[in-house]
Amino acid sequence: MELRIFTEPQQGASYDTLLAVAKATEELGFDAFFRSDHYLAMGSSDGLPGPTDAWITLAGLARETQRIRLGTLVTAATFRLPGPLAIQVAQVDQMSGGRVELGLGTGWFAEEHAAYGIPFPVDKFARLEEQLAIITGLWATEPGDTFSYTGKHYQLTDSPALPKPKQHPVPLLLGGLGTTRTPRLAAQYATEFNIPFASVEDSARQFDRVRAAATARGRAADDLIYSNALVVCVGATEAEVARRAEAIGRDAAELKSNGLAGSPAEVVDKIGAYAEIGSRRIYLQLLDLTDLDHLELIAAQVLPQL
């Protein structure tokens, strides 16, 4: 089981804060640093000092880290045209020496689109499907050849399909709980399938749908990596768990039911339950980005037991 750190900077974080977390992620032995791709705070957070762009952030971190994987969970297909997004991801992959992973989703948060003047189309899933075809098509085009695409939403004509990422291919992460189209799309394009904030039981059902879709497509079911994202709140004592829960505006008992919360032993046991259904990676949603002691505790008392 791999543990990856997953941040939500729209809730309030500067680049320097994210850099400190990314460096701690690397130094403490975690596998990867991922961030959300949002432009507006959610809930009661004021979001100060304001949003940071996901791919600009990852470009900076690409030059200031050496080992950890870097990616988005997930980039909204509504935010960027597929051609420029392919260029951005390829460039950051080159800048990192081949450590980038692209999580891509439909986009869902209407308010942030309205706040920053981003169109929020009705047919988001169809756009996501076209974006995946274009991005993978651009990267797969041989140097010297051109790439063209004619879809309902996007058209490309004689693109030189440059630059190329360092990795061939860049890992693609798709996810969600859609029962039909999501598994089909994952079976066609995904390197990894992720389920955010779901129970063991719901995750098992969705993993089985993706496995079935992969098999129907002629792809080995275990060719994909299956993963989960869960909020994390670990403490050496119950008081420490309660303090960390309060700091993120949550109840410790609720977090124990719906996330990875409690003592290191409790968290290890719950991770084991996800491992039993085939999950190979857990993205730890770290909501208090100033509490690096939290990361140190997880690295010292959870990570070695996995």
Side-chain angles (χ1 to χ4, degrees), residues 81-91 134-135 138-139 163 165:
L81 295 170
L85 179 59
I87 292 171
Q88 289 174 318
V89 177
Q91 184 177 5
I134 292 165
I135 291 168
L138 287 168
W139 289 341

Side-chain angles (χ1 to χ4, degrees), residues 233-236 239-249 291 293-294 297:
C233 182
V234 187
E240 192 169 72
V241 174
R243 174 178 64 77
R244 288 196 164 114
E246 183 179 7
I248 60 174
D291 187 3
D293 290 342
H294 193 190
L297 176 65

Side-chain angles (χ1 to χ4, degrees), residues 98-112:
R99 293 184 285 124
V100 158
E101 302 183 13
L102 171 61
L104 191 61
T106 57
W108 62 270
F109 190 18
E111 288 84 353
E112 71 184 337

